[in-house]
Amino acid sequence: MKNLILVFSTDIKESLRSKWFLFYTLVFGGIIALFFITGVTESRVQGFSGLSRVLLIFIEICIVIVPIFILINTVRTIAADRDSNVLEYLLSFPISLKEYFFGKILGKLFSTTLPILGALALALVWSIFKSVQVPWEVFFYFILLIISVNICFLGFSFFISSLVKTQEIALAIAFFLWLFFLAFLDILLIGALIKTTANAELIYSIALANPLQVFRIGAIVLFDPQLSVIGPASYFILDEFGKNFLMVYCLVYPILLGCIFSFIGYKIFKKKDLV
């Protein structure tokens, strides 16, 4: 555990000094600041106002931005350490491959989650200062949802990073994976529904295997418990899951997916030529 914590703290210090972390922090902090400057908290749209209104917009932005930020900024971790001989240097110390691999994952999880939590904390402080009602249940569930999706895409990222040797290939695969989850999968499923006689429930089940879709549904159910905005699919989802189980599924499934791919990535990393 001592070496794991050492790798974890070293990675955090490295991330805090990097330009991507500063940019990542400015993006989310700037978005929250812009919401308050433009008076979003004072507006009311479809019954949402105050911090609920801010969280509603912020979630929509996170659905698109967070996965690609995580993939692009962490998928090169192992390849970059190998190219710069950092990996060889670290492993010259009594640090096991497991401690290095999972210490890096924990460090990246901290550094990718911290800016979002900081932005949410800023929104919370501002709301309390302005005496705006705080939807605590929604606020804390959103934090758990962000941590869940971060773990998921970090698992994908380190799986890819352990699979390839060059940073360019890792970036290309990560970008394609993001596009696949964001657009291609939904388009393919909709096309299958229109052109074939495939069972609609099977199509919906495949869609719910998409972690980005699960993140989206988990965000929607916070503000629309009936899932009316997603149309007929809401009947299948609510009948099969129910609201409470659906909220648990949206948290647990991405975490399990991330842990599984992290473990597979570690197995590949352990067996491959490290340098």
Side-chain angles (χ1 to χ4, degrees):
M1 287 298 295
K2 183 179 178 181
N3 290 335
L4 179 71
I5 294 172
L6 178 63
V7 175
F8 168 71
S9 60
T10 302
D11 189 78
I12 290 175
K13 292 175 183 177
E14 181 184 344
S15 296
L16 293 178
R17 292 194 300 267
S18 64
K19 293 181 180 179
W20 76 261
F21 180 81
L22 177 61
F23 178 71
Y24 196 53
T25 304
L26 289 175
V27 166
F28 288 104
I31 289 170
I32 290 295
L34 186 63
F35 288 162
F36 291 120
I37 292 172
T38 55
V40 170
T41 53
E42 284 78 26
S43 65
R44 177 178 291 272
V45 177
Q46 295 182 346
F48 297 106
S49 63
L51 189 58
S52 296
R53 175 71 176 144
V54 171
L55 290 176
L56 180 62
I57 302 175
F58 192 64
I59 287 173
E60 294 173 355
I61 295 171
C62 287
I63 289 172
V64 177
I65 294 179
V66 170
I68 188 62
F69 258 80
I70 291 174
L71 287 171
I72 294 299
N73 290 304
T74 63
V75 76
R76 297 173 296 174
T77 301
I78 296 176
D81 282 357
R82 186 186 291 114
D83 291 345
S84 61
N85 296 320
V86 171
L87 177 59
E88 185 177 4
Y89 173 74
L90 283 175
L91 296 180
S92 66
F93 294 95
I95 298 175
S96 68
L97 296 179
K98 182 183 292 185
E99 290 167 339
Y100 167 81
F101 190 84
F102 290 103
K104 282 286 185 179
I105 289 180
L106 292 175
K108 295 302 181 187
L109 177 62
F110 180 85
S111 58
T112 53
T113 307
L114 184 62
I116 305 175
L117 296 185
L120 290 173
L122 175 64
L124 179 63
V125 171
W126 183 266
S127 298
I128 294 174
F129 177 74
K130 288 289 188 178
S131 300
V132 175
Q133 184 178 2
V134 178
W136 292 106
E137 182 180 347
V138 173
F139 184 79
F140 285 118
Y141 183 80
F142 180 50
I143 290 176
L144 294 176
L145 204 60
I146 286 293
I147 294 173
S148 174
V149 79
N150 281 8
I151 292 173
C152 179
F153 280 91
L154 275 173
F156 289 137
S157 183
F158 273 80
F159 170 74
I160 296 170
S161 190
S162 62
L163 200 61
V164 301
K165 283 193 173 183
T166 64
Q167 299 182 49
E168 292 76 14
I169 295 176
L171 280 173
I173 295 174
F175 186 69
F176 176 79
L177 183 68
W178 176 71
L179 283 179
F180 178 75
F181 283 143
L182 185 67
F184 291 165
L185 187 57
D186 285 349
I187 293 171
L188 290 172
L189 292 175
I190 291 171
L193 269 175
I194 294 173
K195 293 189 176 182
T196 70
T197 57
N199 191 323
E201 293 185 355
L202 174 63
I203 300 295
Y204 295 146
S205 299
I206 296 173
L208 287 175
N210 178 357
L212 203 56
Q213 191 71 270
V214 169
F215 180 37
R216 184 182 301 164
I217 291 172
I220 292 172
V221 78
L222 285 175
F223 303 96
D224 182 14
Q226 303 303 318
L227 298 177
S228 57
V229 297
I230 64 175
S234 62
Y235 299 109
F236 168 76
I237 294 172
L238 292 176
D239 287 345
E240 292 294 323
F241 291 92
K243 180 189 172 184
N244 292 332
F245 185 77
L246 178 63
M247 294 179 72
V248 173
Y249 173 79
C250 291
L251 291 178
V252 174
Y253 173 70
I255 292 175
L256 287 177
L257 206 59
C259 291
I260 290 170
F261 274 90
S262 297
F263 182 75
I264 296 172
Y266 166 67
K267 290 295 184 182
I268 296 171
F269 172 71
K270 188 171 68 172
K271 292 179 180 180
K272 289 186 68 175
D273 183 8
L274 299 178
V275 294

